[in-house]
């Protein structure tokens, strides 16, 4: 179990580091260009692996954190229960981030191909992960409330609104003209929020530990979602004007 986790972790970190940079190519490149399409496709494929590997690693820790982290160095008997609780607590959050990443990047890619024809977006293979995101977010909201973990509660709300937003787009009766462009872009930004949040929550916080300490560490975790939400709002307005997204229905 430890070997599987370690192997996936190295690949997860490697591809995650690449995607931290690759994320910006589809954003800044000319929409519809070869660079935009190619970089977007590669980003999508890498993000699917990152999300899947993150979910598998988190699940392994939830099943047996001792086997994953302490198999080579046995813990004192009186420390095992606390160690298991702490690892499972944080791994449940990382599992939610993995599901959020999977849902947003798949939705973004599916919207791009479906455009205004949304029937394929209603397939159970796309809708089941959205349901899991919603249920997992409610559970994490409860868990965060019980433990007083503000980070968990904040991202639970993000997960809830993401799932409900996707369902609203998929099941609403009519779309505005070219609304799919905004939905595709917003979902890609949302996947970037999950990516950068995972980076700051798992690895980046160690890098910033000497600068941001104590309760202020939550600031490093919230950088990505705050900037991401602002970016969605600004670029949404920009693209609505550029692509003439109107209220007339198709």
């Amino acid at each position: 179990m430890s070997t599987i986790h370690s192997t996936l972790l190295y690949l997860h970190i490697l591809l995650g580091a690449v995607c931290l940079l690759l994320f910006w190519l589809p954003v800044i490149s000319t929409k519809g260009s070869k660079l935009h399409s190619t970089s977007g496709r590669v980003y999508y494929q890498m993000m699917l692996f990152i999300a899947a590997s993150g979910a598998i690693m988190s699940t392994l820790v939830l099943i047996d954190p001792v086997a994953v982290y302490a198999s080579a160095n046995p813990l004192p008997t009186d420390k095992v229960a606390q160690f298991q609780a702490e690892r499972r607590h944080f791994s449940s959050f990382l599992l939610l981030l993995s599901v959020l990443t999977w849902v947003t990047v798949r939705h973004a890619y599916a919207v791009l191909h479906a455009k205004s024809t949304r029937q394929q977006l209603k397939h159970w293979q796309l809708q089941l992960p959205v349901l899991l995101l919603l249920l997992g977010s409610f559970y994490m909201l409860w868990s965060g409330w019980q433990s007083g973990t503000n980070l968990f509660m904040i991202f639970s709300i993000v997960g809830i609104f993401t799932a409900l937003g996707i369902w609203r787009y998929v099941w609403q009766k009519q779309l505005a003209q070219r609304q799919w462009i905004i939905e595709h872009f917003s979902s890609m930004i949302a996947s970037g929020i999950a990516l950068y949040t995972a980076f700051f929550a798992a690895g980046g916080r160690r890098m910033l530990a000497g600068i941001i300490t104590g309760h202020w560490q939550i600031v490093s975790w919230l950088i990505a979602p705050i900037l991401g939400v602002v970016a969605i709002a600004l670029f949404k307005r920009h693209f609505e004007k550029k692509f003439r997204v109107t209220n007339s229905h198709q």
Side-chain angles (χ1 to χ4, degrees), residues 41-218:
R41 183 170 60 254
V42 173
Y43 172 81
Y44 165 74
Q45 292 168 345
M46 286 187 174
M47 286 293 284
L48 286 183
F49 179 86
I50 290 169
S53 60
I56 293 171
M57 288 188 293
S58 299
T59 302
L60 291 176
V61 176
L62 290 172
I63 293 171
D64 193 344
V66 174
V68 172
Y69 289 112
S71 58
N73 300 296
L75 294 169
T77 305
D78 60 334
K79 299 291 185 182
V80 172
Q82 181 182 355
F83 178 83
Q84 290 177 325
E86 291 175 350
R87 289 294 182 177
R88 283 173 173 152
H89 189 59
F90 191 64
S91 288
S92 61
F93 167 67
L94 294 180
L95 178 58
L96 179 63
L97 277 182
S98 297
V99 176
L100 177 63
T101 303
W102 180 275
V103 166
T104 52
V105 77
R106 281 205 74 191
H107 180 65
Y109 204 71
V111 166
L112 178 64
H113 285 272
K115 295 184 171 58
S116 297
T117 306
R118 292 171 292 156
Q119 188 58 40
Q120 66 190 75
L121 300 180
K122 300 175 183 179
H123 195 278
W124 71 266
Q125 289 182 333
L126 290 173
Q127 291 302 305
L128 180 58
V130 181
L131 176 61
L132 293 177
L133 174 62
L134 184 65
L135 296 177
S137 296
F138 276 117
Y139 168 77
M140 193 59 57
L141 183 61
W142 172 83
S143 178
W145 178 265
Q146 291 291 105
S147 62
T149 310
N150 293 328
L151 179 68
F152 288 11
M153 290 187 284
I154 291 170
F155 277 93
S156 297
I157 294 172
V158 171
I160 291 169
F161 274 94
T162 298
L164 294 178
I166 289 174
W167 278 344
R168 180 179 181 276
Y169 176 83
V170 172
W171 297 101
Q172 66 180 313
K173 291 183 178 180
Q174 294 177 308
L175 294 178
Q177 291 183 8
R178 292 174 289 277
Q179 186 179 339
W180 66 268
I181 297 175
I182 306 301
E183 185 72 10
H184 167 71
F185 173 80
S186 298
S187 295
M188 288 295 282
I189 293 292
S191 74
I193 292 174
L195 174 68
Y196 273 87
T197 299
F199 166 73
F200 282 114
R205 63 175 179 162
R206 297 187 182 92
M207 296 169 55
L208 299 173
I211 303 173
I212 304 176
T213 59
H215 293 295
W216 286 102
Q217 276 201 338
I218 196 173

